[in-house]
Amino acid sequence: MANLEELITRSVVEILKKKEQSEGIKVGVSARHVHLSQKDLETLFGKGYQLHVKKMLMGDQYAAEECVTLVSPQLRTIEKVRVLGPVRSQSQIEISRTDTFTLKVSPPVRPSGELAGSAPMSLVGPKGSVYLNEGCIIANRHIHMPPSEAEKYGIKDNDIVDVEIQNSKPTRFYNVQVRVREDFTAEMHIDTDDANACAIKNGDYVKIIKK
């Protein structure tokens, strides 16, 4: 009986793997969020403060229990914006195009970490506030994947691909950045605006079209 159960389990796993491979890359929809430096974290939440894990995401990355308020130079606000950990060397805010209408700001579309000349923003926490002269972006569409998955597709870190969505609102995204790292899982990240525009959600699959 044990051998039969083991055989069934292996068969189900193989079926699911083949199904996933045939359907392409899984989608993860990213809502607005903030990455903080340790210095800014302590200014906002108190000296020596450490983030608390709410949900693990990928590798060592996680959604934290903590949230902050965004305040634009025009004094427009969005409250309860999730902080993602772990801390980084420089604080960064990622919002959607729709959020820019609320905040009255004009951030550039950028890969994560490319913050030079990006939009200013203030952050408010329970213990203080931080003004960032630059740091607010609209994140570019990108795909995370481990080296084994990249090899399967014949692509490497920072390659650019197109992505096709076949559903009730067929769409193609052009110039999607691929980011390859050992601790990544295969997943395409888009913001809520892109997801709503092409009727896809967390867990849906898209197809990579190599350039």
Side-chain angles (χ1 to χ4, degrees), residues 170-195:
T171 307
R172 178 174 288 198
F173 290 142
Y174 296 92
N175 300 326
V176 179
Q177 179 192 24
V178 179
R179 298 163 62 184
V180 180
R181 208 168 76 186
E182 284 286 354
D183 60 340
F184 284 163
T185 53
E187 190 168 283
M188 178 178 178
H189 285 177
I190 59 176
D191 65 24
T192 50
D193 283 356
D194 282 343

Side-chain angles (χ1 to χ4, degrees), residues 3-202:
N3 289 339
L4 178 58
E5 290 177 354
E6 185 178 341
L7 178 61
I8 292 172
T9 299
R10 285 203 305 266
S11 298
V12 169
V13 169
E14 286 302 316
I15 289 169
L16 290 175
K17 282 184 178 178
K18 289 178 180 178
K19 182 174 185 288
E20 180 173 330
Q21 290 169 358
S22 67
E23 290 177 321
I25 297 294
K26 187 168 67 172
V27 171
V29 180
S30 295
R32 67 180 79 96
H33 60 271
V34 172
H35 301 275
L36 294 174
S37 67
Q38 184 61 37
K39 178 183 177 182
D40 290 343
L41 174 65
E42 293 188 20
T43 299
L44 295 170
F45 290 91
K47 187 172 178 58
Y49 195 86
Q50 299 293 316
L51 292 171
H52 299 85
V53 177
K54 179 181 178 68
K55 179 183 178 182
M56 294 304 300
L57 300 174
M58 181 184 301
D60 64 346
Q61 300 173 54
Y62 57 89
E65 294 283 356
E66 290 76 12
C67 294
V68 297
T69 297
L70 305 184
V71 183
S72 71
Q74 290 72 30
L75 301 182
R76 305 292 291 269
T77 65
I78 296 180
E79 298 180 346
K80 297 181 179 178
V81 179
R82 184 71 56 190
V83 177
L84 300 192
V87 293
R88 295 188 173 187
S89 59
Q90 186 175 359
S91 294
Q92 173 177 302
I93 303 109
E94 298 179 34
I95 63 176
S96 70
R97 177 68 173 161
T98 296
D99 292 332
T100 70
F101 303 138
T102 299
L103 294 167
K104 302 298 183 185
V105 292
S106 300
V109 176
R110 294 276 184 82
S112 179
E114 294 188 11
L115 304 180
S118 57
M121 189 69 64
S122 293
L123 306 173
V124 179
K127 299 291 186 178
S129 62
V130 172
Y131 174 75
L132 302 177
N133 188 52
E134 57 187 16
C136 182
I137 63 171
I138 298 173
N140 69 333
R141 300 162 184 150
H142 58 276
I143 298 171
H144 295 277
M145 60 173 58
S148 58
E149 193 78 6
E151 184 178 356
K152 185 181 78 173
Y153 282 98
I155 53 184
K156 61 185 184 302
D157 188 44
N158 279 322
D159 274 357
I160 301 297
V161 299
D162 295 341
V163 171
E164 191 173 81
I165 296 99
Q166 289 294 339
N167 59 7
S168 60
K169 298 181 74 174
T171 307
R172 178 174 288 198
F173 290 142
Y174 296 92
N175 300 326
V176 179
Q177 179 192 24
V178 179
R179 298 163 62 184
V180 180
R181 208 168 76 186
E182 284 286 354
D183 60 340
F184 284 163
T185 53
E187 190 168 283
M188 178 178 178
H189 285 177
I190 59 176
D191 65 24
T192 50
D193 283 356
D194 282 343
N196 291 336
C198 58
I200 57 177
K201 61 185 184 303
N202 280 320

